[in-house]
Amino acid sequence: MRSHLLHDTTTERYRRSVTEGIERVATRAATTGRQSPARTPEPPAPRLAAIDLDRPLGDTGLALDELDGIYLRDTLSFRRPRYLAHLHCPVVIPAAVGEAVLAAVDSPLATRDPSAGGALIERRLIDWTAGRLGLGPAADGVFTGGGTRSTVQALTLALARTGDSDPARLRVLASEAGHFGVRTAAGQLGLGPDAVITVPGDPDGRTRVLALARELARCERAGLLPMAVVATAGSTDFGSIDPLPEIAALCARYGVWLHVDASYSCGLLASRRNRHRLAGIEHADSVTVDYHKSFFQPVGSRAVLVRDGSVLRPAPRGAGREARTARRFDALTLWMTLRVMGADAVGDLFDEVCDLATEGWRLLDADPRFEVLMEPALSTLVFRYLPPVVTGPADIDRANLHARKALFDSGDAVLADTKVGARRYLKLTLLDPATTPADLGAVLDLISRHAERYLAERLGPIG
Ligand SMILES: Cc1ncc(COP(=O)(O)O)c(C=O)c1O
Protein backbone atom coordinates (compact mmCIF):
# COMPACT_ATOMS: atom_id res chain seq x y z
CA MET A 1 0.00 0.00 0.00
CA ARG A 2 3.02 2.26 0.34
CA SER A 3 2.94 2.57 -3.41
CA HIS A 4 0.02 4.99 -2.92
CA LEU A 5 2.19 7.41 -0.97
CA LEU A 6 3.77 10.21 -2.96
CA HIS A 7 7.48 9.61 -2.59
CA ASP A 8 10.72 9.74 -4.53
CA THR A 9 10.05 6.13 -5.60
CA THR A 10 6.42 6.67 -6.73
CA THR A 11 6.69 9.70 -8.97
CA GLU A 12 5.77 7.74 -12.09
CA ARG A 13 2.53 6.50 -10.52
CA TYR A 14 1.81 10.02 -9.29
CA ARG A 15 2.33 11.43 -12.79
CA ARG A 16 0.07 8.80 -14.40
CA SER A 17 -2.71 9.04 -11.82
CA VAL A 18 -2.93 12.83 -11.73
CA THR A 19 -2.81 13.00 -15.53
CA GLU A 20 -5.70 10.53 -15.64
CA GLY A 21 -7.72 12.77 -13.31
CA ILE A 22 -6.94 15.88 -15.34
CA GLU A 23 -7.92 14.05 -18.54
CA ARG A 24 -11.37 13.24 -17.11
CA VAL A 25 -11.99 16.84 -16.10
CA ALA A 26 -10.82 18.12 -19.48
CA THR A 27 -13.02 15.64 -21.34
CA ARG A 28 -16.09 16.52 -19.27
CA ALA A 29 -15.41 20.23 -19.59
CA ALA A 30 -15.21 19.85 -23.37
CA THR A 31 -18.38 17.82 -23.73
CA THR A 32 -20.83 19.18 -21.15
CA GLY A 33 -23.53 20.78 -23.26
CA ARG A 34 -26.05 21.53 -20.54
CA GLN A 35 -25.95 24.67 -18.47
CA SER A 36 -27.41 23.00 -15.41
CA PRO A 37 -26.98 19.64 -13.72
CA ALA A 38 -28.56 16.93 -15.83
CA ARG A 39 -31.74 15.42 -14.49
CA THR A 40 -30.49 11.86 -14.55
CA PRO A 41 -33.06 9.07 -14.29
CA GLU A 42 -31.10 7.81 -11.31
CA PRO A 43 -30.39 10.65 -8.84
CA PRO A 44 -26.89 10.61 -7.28
CA ALA A 45 -27.96 10.19 -3.63
CA PRO A 46 -29.07 6.53 -3.88
CA ARG A 47 -26.10 5.74 -6.10
CA LEU A 48 -23.83 7.28 -3.49
CA ALA A 49 -25.54 5.40 -0.69
CA ALA A 50 -24.90 2.14 -2.55
CA ILE A 51 -21.15 2.69 -2.58
CA ASP A 52 -19.37 0.61 0.04
CA LEU A 53 -16.55 2.75 1.38
CA ASP A 54 -14.96 -0.30 2.97
CA ARG A 55 -14.47 -1.93 -0.45
CA PRO A 56 -12.00 0.18 -2.41
CA LEU A 57 -11.83 -0.09 -6.18
CA GLY A 58 -8.06 -0.33 -6.07
CA ASP A 59 -7.61 1.55 -9.31
CA THR A 60 -7.59 5.26 -10.14
CA GLY A 61 -9.34 4.78 -13.48
CA LEU A 62 -12.23 2.87 -11.89
CA ALA A 63 -12.56 5.43 -9.10
CA LEU A 64 -12.63 8.21 -11.71
CA ASP A 65 -15.33 6.35 -13.67
CA GLU A 66 -17.39 6.17 -10.51
CA LEU A 67 -16.71 9.83 -9.69
CA ASP A 68 -17.84 10.84 -13.13
CA GLY A 69 -21.28 9.33 -12.47
CA ILE A 70 -21.78 10.82 -9.03
CA TYR A 71 -20.07 14.18 -9.40
CA LEU A 72 -18.20 15.30 -12.52
CA ARG A 73 -20.94 14.76 -15.07
CA ASP A 74 -23.49 16.85 -13.19
CA THR A 75 -21.14 19.41 -11.73
CA LEU A 76 -19.12 20.74 -14.61
CA SER A 77 -22.18 22.44 -16.04
CA PHE A 78 -21.46 25.33 -13.71
CA ARG A 79 -18.48 26.11 -15.86
CA ARG A 80 -20.84 26.90 -18.77
CA PRO A 81 -21.53 30.47 -19.94
CA ARG A 82 -25.24 30.32 -19.16
CA TYR A 83 -24.63 29.31 -15.59
CA LEU A 84 -25.49 32.71 -14.14
CA ALA A 85 -26.59 31.88 -10.64
CA HIS A 86 -23.84 32.36 -8.10
CA LEU A 87 -21.04 34.60 -6.96
CA HIS A 88 -18.58 31.99 -8.08
CA CYS A 89 -16.23 32.77 -10.93
CA PRO A 90 -14.55 30.35 -13.32
CA VAL A 91 -11.01 29.44 -12.33
CA VAL A 92 -8.09 30.51 -14.52
CA ILE A 93 -5.81 27.71 -15.64
CA PRO A 94 -2.68 29.00 -13.82
CA ALA A 95 -4.69 28.83 -10.59
CA ALA A 96 -5.68 25.24 -11.39
CA VAL A 97 -1.99 24.43 -11.87
CA GLY A 98 -1.22 26.05 -8.51
CA GLU A 99 -3.95 23.98 -6.89
CA ALA A 100 -2.52 20.77 -8.39
CA VAL A 101 0.97 21.60 -7.10
CA LEU A 102 -0.46 22.51 -3.73
CA ALA A 103 -2.41 19.26 -3.44
CA ALA A 104 0.71 17.19 -3.96
CA VAL A 105 3.31 19.22 -2.08
CA ASP A 106 0.90 20.13 0.74
CA SER A 107 3.36 22.08 2.84
CA PRO A 108 1.53 23.32 5.93
CA LEU A 109 2.36 26.96 6.54
CA ALA A 110 2.75 26.33 10.26
CA THR A 111 5.78 24.08 9.92
CA ARG A 112 8.64 26.43 9.44
CA ASP A 113 11.30 24.55 7.51
CA PRO A 114 9.44 23.00 4.59
CA SER A 115 7.22 26.07 4.26
CA ALA A 116 9.65 28.94 4.27
CA GLY A 117 9.07 29.64 0.59
CA GLY A 118 5.31 29.29 1.02
CA ALA A 119 5.19 31.68 3.96
CA LEU A 120 7.23 34.24 2.00
CA ILE A 121 4.99 33.89 -1.05
CA GLU A 122 1.90 34.47 1.09
CA ARG A 123 3.59 37.50 2.65
CA ARG A 124 4.37 38.97 -0.77
CA LEU A 125 0.76 38.51 -1.84
CA ILE A 126 -0.55 40.14 1.33
CA ASP A 127 1.84 43.06 0.76
CA TRP A 128 0.80 43.24 -2.89
CA THR A 129 -2.90 43.30 -2.02
CA ALA A 130 -2.38 45.83 0.79
CA GLY A 131 -0.47 48.00 -1.70
CA ARG A 132 -3.35 47.82 -4.19
CA LEU A 133 -5.75 48.74 -1.37
CA GLY A 134 -3.49 51.63 -0.33
CA LEU A 135 -3.49 50.60 3.32
CA GLY A 136 -0.04 52.03 4.02
CA PRO A 137 3.35 50.71 5.11
CA ALA A 138 2.22 49.10 8.38
CA ALA A 139 -0.43 46.93 6.73
CA ASP A 140 -0.56 43.19 7.18
CA GLY A 141 -3.02 40.37 6.65
CA VAL A 142 -3.60 36.69 6.36
CA PHE A 143 -5.30 34.19 4.08
CA THR A 144 -8.44 32.97 5.82
CA GLY A 145 -11.05 30.24 5.70
CA GLY A 146 -13.73 32.30 3.94
CA GLY A 147 -15.47 35.66 3.58
CA THR A 148 -17.48 35.20 6.74
CA ARG A 149 -14.41 33.92 8.56
CA SER A 150 -12.60 37.11 7.48
CA THR A 151 -15.40 39.20 8.98
CA VAL A 152 -15.11 37.26 12.23
CA GLN A 153 -11.38 37.95 12.29
CA ALA A 154 -11.81 41.63 11.53
CA LEU A 155 -14.51 42.08 14.16
CA THR A 156 -12.40 40.17 16.69
CA LEU A 157 -9.67 42.75 16.17
CA ALA A 158 -12.18 45.59 16.50
CA LEU A 159 -13.51 44.00 19.68
CA ALA A 160 -10.02 43.66 21.14
CA ARG A 161 -9.56 47.40 20.70
CA THR A 162 -12.55 48.15 22.90
CA GLY A 163 -10.75 46.71 25.97
CA ASP A 164 -12.97 45.30 28.66
CA SER A 165 -16.13 47.13 27.71
CA ASP A 166 -19.42 45.58 28.71
CA PRO A 167 -20.37 43.39 25.70
CA ALA A 168 -24.01 44.43 26.11
CA ARG A 169 -23.04 48.01 25.14
CA LEU A 170 -21.15 47.03 22.00
CA ARG A 171 -22.68 47.72 18.61
CA VAL A 172 -21.71 46.91 15.01
CA LEU A 173 -23.25 49.16 12.37
CA ALA A 174 -23.68 47.42 9.05
CA SER A 175 -25.01 48.28 5.60
CA GLU A 176 -28.58 47.25 4.92
CA ALA A 177 -27.31 45.52 1.77
CA GLY A 178 -24.49 43.87 3.72
CA HIS A 179 -23.96 40.12 3.89
CA PHE A 180 -25.68 38.15 6.67
CA GLY A 181 -22.19 36.97 7.69
CA VAL A 182 -21.90 40.14 9.80
CA ARG A 183 -24.64 38.83 12.10
CA THR A 184 -23.02 35.40 12.12
CA ALA A 185 -19.71 37.00 13.11
CA ALA A 186 -21.31 39.08 15.87
CA GLY A 187 -22.99 35.94 17.21
CA GLN A 188 -19.72 34.01 17.17
CA LEU A 189 -18.06 36.81 19.13
CA GLY A 190 -20.70 36.53 21.84
CA LEU A 191 -22.15 39.99 21.25
CA GLY A 192 -25.74 40.52 22.33
CA PRO A 193 -28.77 39.87 20.09
CA ASP A 194 -29.16 43.64 19.45
CA ALA A 195 -25.49 44.14 18.65
CA VAL A 196 -25.86 44.59 14.89
CA ILE A 197 -27.58 47.80 13.81
CA THR A 198 -28.67 47.81 10.19
CA VAL A 199 -28.15 51.19 8.57
CA PRO A 200 -30.71 51.95 5.84
CA GLY A 201 -29.56 52.28 2.28
CA ASP A 202 -30.69 54.38 -0.67
CA PRO A 203 -32.73 52.72 -3.44
CA ASP A 204 -29.42 51.99 -5.19
CA GLY A 205 -28.42 49.84 -2.20
CA ARG A 206 -25.66 52.14 -0.93
CA THR A 207 -25.61 52.99 2.76
CA ARG A 208 -27.18 56.36 3.50
CA VAL A 209 -24.41 58.42 5.09
CA LEU A 210 -26.85 60.64 6.97
CA ALA A 211 -28.53 57.57 8.44
CA LEU A 212 -25.14 56.24 9.57
CA ALA A 213 -24.31 59.61 11.15
CA ARG A 214 -27.65 59.56 12.93
CA GLU A 215 -27.06 56.02 14.27
CA LEU A 216 -23.58 56.87 15.52
CA ALA A 217 -24.91 59.96 17.31
CA ARG A 218 -27.79 57.94 18.75
CA CYS A 219 -25.37 55.31 20.09
CA GLU A 220 -23.31 58.04 21.71
CA ARG A 221 -26.37 59.58 23.39
CA ALA A 222 -27.54 56.17 24.62
CA GLY A 223 -24.15 55.31 26.14
CA LEU A 224 -23.59 52.50 23.62
CA LEU A 225 -20.20 51.73 22.14
CA PRO A 226 -20.05 51.32 18.33
CA MET A 227 -17.07 48.96 17.99
CA ALA A 228 -17.14 48.75 14.19
CA VAL A 229 -18.83 49.95 11.05
CA VAL A 230 -19.01 47.27 8.35
CA ALA A 231 -19.28 48.92 4.95
CA THR A 232 -20.01 46.87 1.86
CA ALA A 233 -18.06 47.32 -1.34
CA GLY A 234 -20.03 45.10 -3.67
CA SER A 235 -23.30 43.84 -2.21
CA THR A 236 -24.40 40.33 -3.06
CA ASP A 237 -27.52 41.34 -5.01
CA PHE A 238 -26.73 44.68 -6.61
CA GLY A 239 -22.96 44.90 -6.37
CA SER A 240 -23.53 48.31 -4.78
CA ILE A 241 -20.49 49.99 -3.29
CA ASP A 242 -21.03 52.10 -0.18
CA PRO A 243 -19.78 55.73 -0.18
CA LEU A 244 -16.48 54.77 1.40
CA PRO A 245 -14.83 58.21 1.78
CA GLU A 246 -17.82 59.64 3.64
CA ILE A 247 -18.19 56.54 5.82
CA ALA A 248 -14.47 56.60 6.59
CA ALA A 249 -14.71 60.25 7.64
CA LEU A 250 -17.54 59.42 10.06
CA CYS A 251 -15.58 56.49 11.48
CA ALA A 252 -12.57 58.74 12.02
CA ARG A 253 -14.76 61.33 13.77
CA TYR A 254 -16.22 58.76 16.17
CA GLY A 255 -13.03 56.68 16.51
CA VAL A 256 -14.79 53.57 15.19
CA TRP A 257 -13.08 50.66 13.44
CA LEU A 258 -14.00 50.57 9.75
CA HIS A 259 -14.21 47.16 8.14
CA VAL A 260 -14.90 47.04 4.41
CA ASP A 261 -16.36 43.89 2.93
CA ALA A 262 -14.79 43.93 -0.54
CA SER A 263 -15.37 40.19 -1.01
CA TYR A 264 -17.06 40.68 -4.36
CA SER A 265 -15.53 43.93 -5.62
CA CYS A 266 -11.88 43.02 -4.98
CA GLY A 267 -11.41 42.25 -8.68
CA LEU A 268 -11.49 46.04 -9.18
CA LEU A 269 -8.11 46.17 -7.45
CA ALA A 270 -6.63 44.64 -10.59
CA SER A 271 -8.65 46.74 -13.01
CA ARG A 272 -6.99 49.46 -15.04
CA ARG A 273 -10.33 51.09 -15.88
CA ASN A 274 -12.45 50.67 -12.76
CA ARG A 275 -10.12 50.75 -9.74
CA HIS A 276 -11.45 54.24 -8.92
CA ARG A 277 -14.79 52.70 -7.90
CA LEU A 278 -13.08 51.57 -4.69
CA ALA A 279 -11.87 55.07 -3.80
CA GLY A 280 -11.87 55.51 -0.04
CA ILE A 281 -11.08 51.88 0.75
CA GLU A 282 -7.57 53.00 1.68
CA HIS A 283 -9.04 54.46 4.91
CA ALA A 284 -10.32 51.10 6.14
CA ASP A 285 -8.93 49.48 9.28
CA SER A 286 -9.61 46.06 7.78
CA VAL A 287 -10.76 44.71 4.43
CA THR A 288 -12.10 41.36 3.27
CA VAL A 289 -11.03 40.20 -0.18
CA ASP A 290 -12.38 37.00 -1.68
CA TYR A 291 -10.13 36.31 -4.65
CA HIS A 292 -12.45 33.42 -5.44
CA LYS A 293 -15.28 35.83 -6.21
CA SER A 294 -13.63 38.14 -8.74
CA PHE A 295 -9.96 37.19 -9.21
CA PHE A 296 -10.88 33.91 -10.96
CA GLN A 297 -9.45 31.82 -8.14
CA PRO A 298 -10.65 28.61 -6.46
CA VAL A 299 -12.71 28.88 -3.26
CA GLY A 300 -9.76 28.50 -0.90
CA SER A 301 -8.35 31.85 -1.98
CA ARG A 302 -9.35 34.74 0.31
CA ALA A 303 -7.79 37.05 2.84
CA VAL A 304 -8.35 39.71 5.44
CA LEU A 305 -6.07 42.75 5.43
CA VAL A 306 -5.48 45.25 8.21
CA ARG A 307 -4.06 48.78 8.15
CA ASP A 308 -2.09 48.34 11.38
CA GLY A 309 -0.28 45.03 11.21
CA SER A 310 0.70 45.18 14.87
CA VAL A 311 -2.84 44.16 15.83
CA LEU A 312 -2.10 40.73 14.39
CA ARG A 313 1.00 40.21 16.59
CA PRO A 314 0.46 38.73 19.10
CA ALA A 315 -2.95 37.54 18.09
CA PRO A 316 -5.55 39.13 20.35
CA ARG A 317 -8.17 36.62 21.42
CA GLY A 318 -7.10 34.21 18.71
CA ALA A 319 -7.78 36.53 15.82
CA GLY A 320 -4.41 36.85 14.28
CA ARG A 321 -2.16 35.11 11.93
CA GLU A 322 -2.97 31.60 13.19
CA ALA A 323 0.74 30.83 12.74
CA ARG A 324 0.81 28.05 15.26
CA THR A 325 -1.77 25.81 13.64
CA ALA A 326 -1.37 24.13 10.26
CA ARG A 327 -2.75 26.24 7.41
CA ARG A 328 -3.10 25.29 3.79
CA PHE A 329 -0.87 27.24 1.42
CA ASP A 330 -3.91 28.66 -0.38
CA ALA A 331 -1.97 31.67 -1.61
CA LEU A 332 -0.22 29.57 -4.25
CA THR A 333 -3.04 29.75 -6.82
CA LEU A 334 -3.01 33.54 -6.81
CA TRP A 335 0.77 33.55 -7.03
CA MET A 336 0.69 31.34 -10.13
CA THR A 337 -2.02 33.55 -11.63
CA LEU A 338 -0.05 36.75 -11.15
CA ARG A 339 3.17 35.16 -12.41
CA VAL A 340 1.60 33.63 -15.53
CA MET A 341 -1.05 36.17 -16.51
CA GLY A 342 -0.37 39.25 -14.42
CA ALA A 343 -2.81 41.46 -12.56
CA ASP A 344 -3.82 43.49 -15.63
CA ALA A 345 -5.13 40.37 -17.34
CA VAL A 346 -7.19 39.46 -14.25
CA GLY A 347 -8.55 43.01 -14.06
CA ASP A 348 -9.40 42.91 -17.77
CA LEU A 349 -11.45 39.74 -17.23
CA PHE A 350 -13.38 41.36 -14.38
CA ASP A 351 -13.90 44.50 -16.47
CA GLU A 352 -15.32 42.28 -19.21
CA VAL A 353 -18.03 40.88 -16.96
CA CYS A 354 -18.83 44.35 -15.61
CA ASP A 355 -19.17 45.58 -19.22
CA LEU A 356 -21.35 42.60 -20.02
CA ALA A 357 -23.64 43.49 -17.11
CA THR A 358 -23.97 47.04 -18.45
CA GLU A 359 -24.82 45.62 -21.87
CA GLY A 360 -27.37 43.29 -20.25
CA TRP A 361 -28.91 46.23 -18.40
CA ARG A 362 -29.32 48.09 -21.71
CA LEU A 363 -31.02 45.05 -23.20
CA LEU A 364 -33.38 44.74 -20.26
CA ASP A 365 -34.08 48.44 -19.99
CA ALA A 366 -35.08 48.61 -23.66
CA ASP A 367 -37.24 45.49 -23.47
CA PRO A 368 -40.90 46.10 -22.50
CA ARG A 369 -41.21 42.50 -21.29
CA PHE A 370 -38.96 43.20 -18.31
CA GLU A 371 -38.50 45.49 -15.35
CA VAL A 372 -34.84 45.92 -14.39
CA LEU A 373 -33.72 47.40 -11.09
CA MET A 374 -30.66 49.63 -10.97
CA GLU A 375 -27.88 50.00 -13.47
CA PRO A 376 -25.26 47.43 -12.36
CA ALA A 377 -22.56 48.65 -10.01
CA LEU A 378 -20.51 45.51 -10.72
CA SER A 379 -21.72 42.43 -12.58
CA THR A 380 -25.20 41.52 -11.36
CA LEU A 381 -28.61 42.20 -12.89
CA VAL A 382 -31.83 42.10 -10.85
CA PHE A 383 -34.97 42.07 -12.97
CA ARG A 384 -38.26 40.34 -13.61
CA TYR A 385 -40.67 39.49 -16.36
CA LEU A 386 -43.74 41.73 -16.39
CA PRO A 387 -46.76 40.65 -18.43
CA PRO A 388 -48.29 43.22 -20.79
CA VAL A 389 -51.68 43.07 -19.10
CA VAL A 390 -52.60 43.85 -15.51
CA THR A 391 -51.75 40.77 -13.45
CA GLY A 392 -51.71 40.24 -9.69
CA PRO A 393 -48.29 40.63 -8.04
CA ALA A 394 -48.34 37.11 -6.61
CA ASP A 395 -48.94 35.66 -10.08
CA ILE A 396 -46.05 37.70 -11.47
CA ASP A 397 -43.83 36.36 -8.68
CA ARG A 398 -44.90 32.81 -9.46
CA ALA A 399 -44.41 33.25 -13.21
CA ASN A 400 -40.83 34.44 -12.69
CA LEU A 401 -40.00 31.62 -10.28
CA HIS A 402 -41.56 29.17 -12.70
CA ALA A 403 -39.38 30.49 -15.55
CA ARG A 404 -36.28 30.12 -13.42
CA LYS A 405 -37.15 26.51 -12.59
CA ALA A 406 -38.08 25.70 -16.17
CA LEU A 407 -34.71 26.98 -17.39
CA PHE A 408 -32.92 24.89 -14.79
CA ASP A 409 -34.92 21.74 -15.53
CA SER A 410 -34.39 22.06 -19.26
CA GLY A 411 -30.67 22.58 -18.78
CA ASP A 412 -30.80 25.82 -20.79
CA ALA A 413 -29.58 28.23 -18.10
CA VAL A 414 -29.24 28.64 -14.35
CA LEU A 415 -30.36 31.89 -12.69
CA ALA A 416 -30.88 32.93 -9.09
CA ASP A 417 -33.85 34.67 -7.58
CA THR A 418 -34.03 37.24 -4.81
CA LYS A 419 -36.59 39.21 -2.87
CA VAL A 420 -36.72 42.99 -3.20
CA GLY A 421 -39.28 44.43 -0.81
CA ALA A 422 -42.14 41.96 -0.92
CA ARG A 423 -41.62 40.88 -4.54
CA ARG A 424 -39.57 38.16 -6.22
CA TYR A 425 -36.98 39.07 -8.84
CA LEU A 426 -34.60 37.09 -10.98
CA LYS A 427 -30.88 37.66 -10.65
CA LEU A 428 -27.98 37.10 -13.00
CA THR A 429 -24.50 37.12 -11.53
CA LEU A 430 -22.16 37.53 -14.46
CA LEU A 431 -18.68 36.28 -13.70
CA ASP A 432 -17.78 34.31 -16.80
CA PRO A 433 -16.27 36.43 -19.58
CA ALA A 434 -17.31 33.67 -22.00
CA THR A 435 -20.96 34.69 -21.55
CA THR A 436 -22.02 36.90 -24.47
CA PRO A 437 -24.79 39.47 -24.97
CA ALA A 438 -26.31 36.88 -27.33
CA ASP A 439 -26.43 34.42 -24.40
CA LEU A 440 -28.22 37.04 -22.33
CA GLY A 441 -30.67 37.78 -25.15
CA ALA A 442 -31.43 34.07 -25.56
CA VAL A 443 -31.93 33.62 -21.81
CA LEU A 444 -34.31 36.60 -21.68
CA ASP A 445 -36.36 35.17 -24.53
CA LEU A 446 -36.59 31.85 -22.75
CA ILE A 447 -37.63 33.49 -19.47
CA SER A 448 -40.32 35.46 -21.24
CA ARG A 449 -41.59 32.38 -23.08
CA HIS A 450 -41.77 30.23 -19.95
CA ALA A 451 -43.36 32.96 -17.82
CA GLU A 452 -45.88 33.84 -20.52
CA ARG A 453 -46.89 30.21 -20.99
CA TYR A 454 -47.25 29.76 -17.25
CA LEU A 455 -49.55 32.77 -16.93
CA ALA A 456 -51.54 31.77 -20.02
CA GLU A 457 -52.17 28.35 -18.51
CA ARG A 458 -53.31 29.87 -15.22
CA LEU A 459 -55.10 32.99 -16.36
CA GLY A 460 -55.81 32.61 -20.07
CA PRO A 461 -53.89 34.04 -23.07
CA ILE A 462 -51.67 37.07 -22.35
CA GLY A 463 -51.74 40.21 -24.45
C1 LIG B 1 -20.82 40.61 -0.18
C2 LIG B 1 -20.47 39.28 0.44
N1 LIG B 1 -19.73 39.25 1.56
C3 LIG B 1 -19.39 38.09 2.15
C4 LIG B 1 -19.78 36.88 1.63
C5 LIG B 1 -19.42 35.60 2.36
O1 LIG B 1 -18.44 34.91 1.70
P1 LIG B 1 -18.17 33.35 2.02
O2 LIG B 1 -19.27 32.60 1.35
O3 LIG B 1 -16.82 33.08 1.44
O4 LIG B 1 -18.21 33.17 3.51
C6 LIG B 1 -20.57 36.86 0.47
C7 LIG B 1 -21.01 35.59 -0.12
O5 LIG B 1 -21.60 35.53 -1.16
C8 LIG B 1 -20.92 38.10 -0.14
O6 LIG B 1 -21.69 38.14 -1.24
Side-chain angles (χ1 to χ4, degrees):
M1 284 304 116
R2 286 189 189 171
S3 61
H4 288 292
L5 292 172
L6 174 53
H7 257 294
D8 52 348
T9 52
T10 54
T11 50
E12 196 41 48
R13 183 185 190 132
Y14 161 68
R15 192 174 282 131
R16 245 187 304 112
S17 303
V18 172
T19 305
E20 226 177 317
I22 289 170
E23 273 302 328
R24 298 301 175 100
V25 174
T27 305
R28 267 293 163 208
T31 54
T32 300
R34 294 173 62 93
Q35 312 284 338
S36 69
R39 284 271 177 259
T40 46
E42 201 191 346
R47 269 185 289 144
L48 266 168
I51 292 171
D52 183 351
L53 286 177
D54 293 322
R55 285 169 149 257
L57 296 165
D59 178 82
T60 304
L62 292 176
L64 285 168
D65 286 344
E66 184 182 84
L67 189 70
D68 191 63
I70 56 177
Y71 173 66
L72 283 179
R73 187 182 56 192
D74 285 349
T75 307
L76 269 164
S77 55
F78 85 87
R79 293 286 177 230
R80 303 286 299 153
R82 292 188 194 175
Y83 191 96
L84 310 163
H86 295 121
L87 243 176
H88 188 94
C89 53
V91 170
V92 289
I93 293 169
V97 174
E99 192 72 46
V101 172
L102 177 59
V105 179
D106 194 33
S107 57
L109 284 183
T111 316
R112 262 187 167 267
D113 286 351
S115 308
L120 292 174
I121 285 174
E122 178 180 304
R123 162 129 307 281
R124 279 292 304 276
L125 289 170
I126 288 292
D127 289 348
W128 179 85
T129 307
R132 294 253 163 179
L133 287 164
L135 290 182
D140 199 353
V142 66
F143 276 66
T144 68
T148 304
R149 189 70 218 139
S150 300
T151 308
V152 173
Q153 282 191 251
L155 291 186
T156 307
L157 295 169
L159 177 62
R161 214 176 55 155
T162 64
D164 289 326
S165 307
D166 172 11
R169 288 176 55 223
L170 297 173
R171 292 293 179 272
V172 174
L173 289 83
S175 328
E176 187 177 22
H179 193 257
F180 65 82
V182 178
R183 284 184 185 279
T184 310
Q188 285 185 14
L189 291 181
L191 303 181
D194 302 325
V196 179
I197 298 175
T198 301
V199 184
D202 282 323
D204 65 2
R206 302 168 82 223
T207 293
R208 229 179 278 159
V209 178
L210 275 179
L212 177 61
R214 229 181 350 253
E215 284 300 336
L216 285 166
R218 196 178 62 78
C219 286
E220 197 173 57
R221 280 198 308 277
L224 301 171
L225 192 62
M227 62 173 245
V229 168
V230 180
T232 303
S235 62
T236 313
D237 274 354
F238 292 105
S240 48
I241 297 174
D242 278 343
L244 301 176
E246 292 84 349
I247 291 177
L250 275 175
C251 287
R253 198 165 110 209
Y254 283 88
V256 181
W257 182 283
L258 171 58
H259 177 68
V260 178
D261 177 356
S263 306
Y264 175 15
S265 64
C266 64
L268 296 179
L269 295 173
S271 165
R272 286 175 282 189
R273 278 198 282 127
N274 292 312
R275 167 62 181 85
H276 63 274
R277 296 189 194 179
L278 287 179
I281 203 164
E282 65 277 9
H283 302 302
D285 292 294
S286 55
V287 181
T288 299
V289 290
D290 279 3
Y291 305 105
H292 69 89
K293 290 193 172 74
S294 51
F295 261 76
F296 305 94
Q297 297 298 297
V299 280
S301 183
R302 43 232 178 157
V304 64
L305 286 293
V306 293
R307 149 183 311 290
D308 173 8
S310 70
V311 298
L312 292 175
R313 300 178 294 265
R317 302 188 196 186
R321 193 168 267 294
E322 300 179 326
R324 270 170 288 268
T325 57
R327 271 192 311 119
R328 204 167 177 264
F329 177 28
D330 285 315
L332 182 57
T333 66
L334 179 60
W335 180 265
M336 287 299 289
T337 303
L338 295 184
R339 298 311 297 140
V340 176
M341 300 169 55
D344 287 352
V346 172
D348 289 350
L349 289 176
F350 192 53
D351 283 348
E352 279 186 49
V353 292
C354 293
D355 290 349
L356 177 68
T358 304
E359 183 65 31
W361 180 81
R362 279 196 207 105
L363 281 177
L364 281 159
D365 194 44
D367 191 329
R369 298 173 298 176
F370 295 99
E371 174 201 14
V372 58
L373 298 182
M374 242 180 86
E375 205 163 337
L378 291 173
S379 68
T380 59
L381 290 164
V382 180
F383 65 100
R384 61 182 180 155
Y385 168 79
L386 279 183
V389 293
V390 176
T391 309
D395 282 324
I396 298 176
D397 283 355
R398 280 193 281 268
N400 278 283
L401 294 182
H402 168 82
R404 171 174 120 79
K405 184 172 180 312
L407 258 64
F408 183 90
D409 287 348
S410 63
D412 288 329
V414 185
L415 332 172
D417 70 277
T418 187
K419 234 177 162 180
V420 181
R423 301 273 60 96
R424 306 306 291 248
Y425 283 77
L426 300 175
K427 182 171 82 161
L428 307 184
T429 302
L430 305 175
L431 284 170
D432 188 346
T435 307
T436 62
D439 284 316
L440 298 185
V443 168
L444 296 183
D445 285 344
L446 286 166
I447 293 170
S448 159
R449 205 171 310 148
H450 285 299
E452 208 170 286
R453 195 173 309 147
Y454 174 85
L455 288 173
E457 278 166 16
R458 284 178 65 89
L459 311 170
I462 299 278

